[in-house]
Amino acid sequence: HMIKNLQISGVHSQVTPKVKTYATKKIGSLDKYIPKKARESTFVDIKLKDKKIRNKLAFECEVIMKLPKATITAHEESITVLASIDEVVDNLKNQLKKYKEMHAEPRVRRGFLARYKKPLPADNLF
């Protein structure tokens, strides 16, 4: 399973086939964190940028993920383009977990919430 609608573009830079494959594999595999019904209509736009900061080369990876009830964005900077992709993946994973808790099927959520809800003591009712 992979996210099908992926678009990768380089801003002020060329995206090599190796980087394209890596980004597709890493970000495409995030579909397991997306609710099943939302997977078909999910669209991902990946922008890879080269940046020069004080004569040092840095890479920024920005991902805009359009989901049925929300848009999730993440961007991270790192010294290599692959590292910036990895950091964005971690960021997206956390955001998608929250999205899934909010928008997943109620029966999935019920078991999740039951673990955290503590029954109120009977004497504190009023």
Side-chain angles (χ1 to χ4, degrees):
H1 287 337
M2 291 284 267
I3 297 171
K4 288 177 187 71
N5 301 325
L6 272 174
Q7 180 182 333
I8 301 172
S9 55
V11 181
H12 309 304
S13 64
Q14 286 297 104
V15 180
T16 63
K18 180 185 165 194
V19 170
K20 216 172 223 181
T21 307
Y22 188 80
T24 305
K25 193 175 137 201
K26 289 294 249 181
I27 295 170
S29 67
L30 290 173
D31 74 329
K32 61 179 163 270
Y33 297 101
I34 300 170
K36 280 194 177 93
K37 286 181 179 173
R39 285 179 194 167
E40 282 302 309
S41 52
T42 297
F43 179 79
V44 181
D45 190 12
I46 304 163
K47 289 186 178 72
L48 299 166
K49 299 174 193 164
D50 292 2
K51 289 181 136 188
K52 257 198 160 149
I53 304 162
R54 289 194 207 104
N55 297 335
K56 282 189 178 164
L57 199 57
F59 295 93
E60 184 182 9
C61 177
E62 181 184 14
V63 177
I64 299 163
M65 197 177 269
K66 290 185 174 73
L67 296 149
K69 291 179 186 141
T71 298
I72 292 175
T73 58
H75 53 94
E76 298 289 342
E77 253 174 54
S78 195
I79 46 175
T80 69
V81 70
L82 300 183
S84 66
I85 293 169
D86 288 343
E87 288 176 23
V88 159
V89 167
D90 290 340
N91 185 327
L92 287 170
K93 237 182 244 182
N94 293 331
Q95 290 192 56
L96 284 169
K97 283 176 187 172
K98 287 176 191 161
Y99 174 86
K100 200 166 182 176
E101 283 168 27
M102 299 279 289
H103 302 289
E105 293 295 300
R107 61 190 163 84
V108 175
R109 232 177 22 224
R110 198 178 305 133
F112 177 81
L113 289 173
R115 279 180 266 167
Y116 296 101
K117 272 190 185 161
K118 290 189 175 115
L120 289 170
D123 54 278
N124 285 6
L125 286 175
F126 298 104

